[in-house]
Amino acid sequence: MINPLDLYAKIESLIGFDVQYEKLYEVYLQLLHSLHVKTILDVGCGNGKFLKHLQNAEFRACGIDRSVVMVERACTLGVDASTKELDAFEEASFECVVAIADVLNYIPVAELESFFEAVARVLPKNGYFICDVNTLYGFEGVAEGVMCQDKENQFLCVEATFEHKELLTKIVLFEKEGELYRKVEGSITQYFHSLAFFKKLKAFKLCSTKPIALFGDEPDKTILIFQKR
Ligand SMILES: C[S@@+](CC[C@H](N)C(=O)[O-])C[C@H]1O[C@@H](n2cnc3c(N)ncnc32)[C@H](O)[C@@H]1O
C-alpha cells in the first residue's frame, strides 16, 4: 500500500495548482520580508518550489516533508530538503516556521496541539509561525467533487467528499508501463480546523489572519500569523 502522501506527490502535476500556489507564495514572501526574518523552516515543503523562492531571495531556509517522493523532487531544485521530523532540530534554531498550502489540514484535530508544540520548540520567544488552512468554502466549494485527468502516460480519477468536517479524497491512478497500465489507488483525509481552535493555543498567540481567494472570488484559505508566547 502506497503512503498517501507519496500518492499525492505522484498526482500533483496532474492536478496542476501551480498558478494558484505561485500567488500564495507571493503573499508569504511579502509577509516574510515585512517581518525581517532570515532563517526559515518550511514544514511540508513538498516539491521545494517555495524553498527555491526563499533561496533566490537570500533567506536561509530548509524544508522537511513526510513524503520521500516530494523530498527527492525538491532536492533536484538544489534546495535543502529532507524527511527529518521537527524534533531533529535544535531548540530555537529558526526565526520563522512556515507550513504552506494546507499542510495543517493533513493533521488530525487530536494531533494539532502537539504539532504546534513541536513547532514552538524550534522557535525563540516571539518567533513566527505562518501557515494557511482551508476555509469551509475551500473544502465544500472548491475541493469537493470528481475530477479526471488524462496526460501522456497517466490517467487519473479523483473523487472528494466532505462530511463531518473531513475531506476524503479517493484516488485511482493508471500509469503506463510498456503495453500495460499499472493501477495505483489510495485515499487522503484532510481535516477542517476552526479559527476558534487557533485562538486558544498555549504555545502561540494568533496575531493576525488573512483570507485569500486562490480558486475563485470567495476566500478558500486563511493565512494565520502566530507568534510564540
Ligand atoms: C498540498 S502539499 C503542499 C506542499 C508545499 N508546501 C507547496 O507549497 O507546494 C502538502 C504537503 O504536506 C506534506 N505533509 C503533510 N503532513 C505533514 C507533516 N505532518 N509533516 C511534514 N509534511 C507533511 C505532504 O507530504 C505534502 O507534500
Side-chain angles (χ1 to χ4, degrees):
M1 190 70 173
I2 185 165
N3 166 357
L5 298 181
D6 285 336
L7 180 55
Y8 173 78
K10 266 177 170 292
I11 67 165
E12 189 189 38
S13 67
L14 287 159
I15 300 174
F17 293 152
D18 288 2
V19 174
Q20 290 84 358
Y21 280 8
E22 284 301 325
K23 189 173 156 189
L24 186 61
Y25 298 161
E26 266 304 304
V27 180
Y28 271 84
L29 284 168
Q30 278 173 16
L31 281 169
L32 292 171
H33 282 298
S34 71
L35 296 173
H36 304 289
V37 288
K38 270 284 158 220
T39 50
I40 296 162
L41 175 66
D42 184 357
V43 178
C45 63
N47 59 33
K49 286 186 186 161
F50 187 70
L51 282 174
K52 195 70 194 173
H53 281 295
L54 291 174
Q55 199 181 62
N56 292 341
E58 299 190 350
F59 288 98
R60 269 182 288 133
C62 65
I64 55 172
D65 199 289
R66 283 189 178 168
S67 161
V68 177
V69 178
M70 283 296 198
V71 167
E72 283 171 359
R73 198 170 291 159
C75 289
T76 64
L77 298 181
V79 297
D80 180 355
S82 70
T83 54
K84 281 180 190 166
E85 291 290 327
L86 278 160
D87 62 9
F89 297 92
E90 302 272 308
E91 275 182 39
S93 43
F94 301 93
E95 290 167 294
C96 182
V97 175
V98 295
I100 307 180
D102 56 74
V103 174
L104 264 71
N105 292 115
Y106 287 75
I107 303 173
V109 181
E111 292 170 26
L112 209 49
E113 182 98 37
S114 55
F115 172 79
F116 270 89
E117 275 161 23
V119 172
R121 200 190 60 83
V122 301
L123 288 169
K125 185 171 164 37
N126 296 327
Y128 291 98
F129 177 42
I130 313 176
C131 59
D132 57 84
V133 286
N134 286 335
T135 60
L136 270 182
Y137 173 75
F139 279 121
E140 290 170 334
V142 176
E144 206 174 24
V146 175
M147 188 192 79
C148 290
Q149 283 285 351
D150 198 351
K151 198 169 150 194
E152 290 163 21
N153 293 332
Q154 290 177 306
F155 179 77
L156 170 71
C157 201
V158 172
E159 185 189 13
T161 43
F162 186 66
E163 259 179 15
H164 310 300
K165 300 191 177 171
E166 292 186 12
L167 183 82
L168 176 67
T169 305
K170 292 182 188 160
I171 298 163
V172 183
L173 175 69
F174 291 92
E175 291 182 301
K176 199 163 189 194
E177 282 185 357
E179 289 303 299
L180 302 173
Y181 279 87
R182 194 164 69 94
K183 183 180 177 187
V184 189
E185 62 186 324
S187 63
I188 296 172
T189 305
Q190 284 177 281
Y191 308 87
F192 171 75
H193 302 310
S194 72
L195 284 187
F197 173 89
F198 298 115
K199 288 177 184 161
K200 291 188 303 205
L201 288 168
K202 281 188 235 126
F204 285 94
K205 173 176 176 253
L206 180 59
C207 304
S208 62
T209 60
K210 190 175 169 60
I212 180 158
L214 296 179
F215 293 90
D217 297 333
E218 212 175 305
D220 42 72
K221 290 191 194 299
T222 309
I223 296 182
L224 310 170
I225 302 154
F226 296 95
Q227 234 179 335
K228 182 174 163 178
R229 292 186 197 276

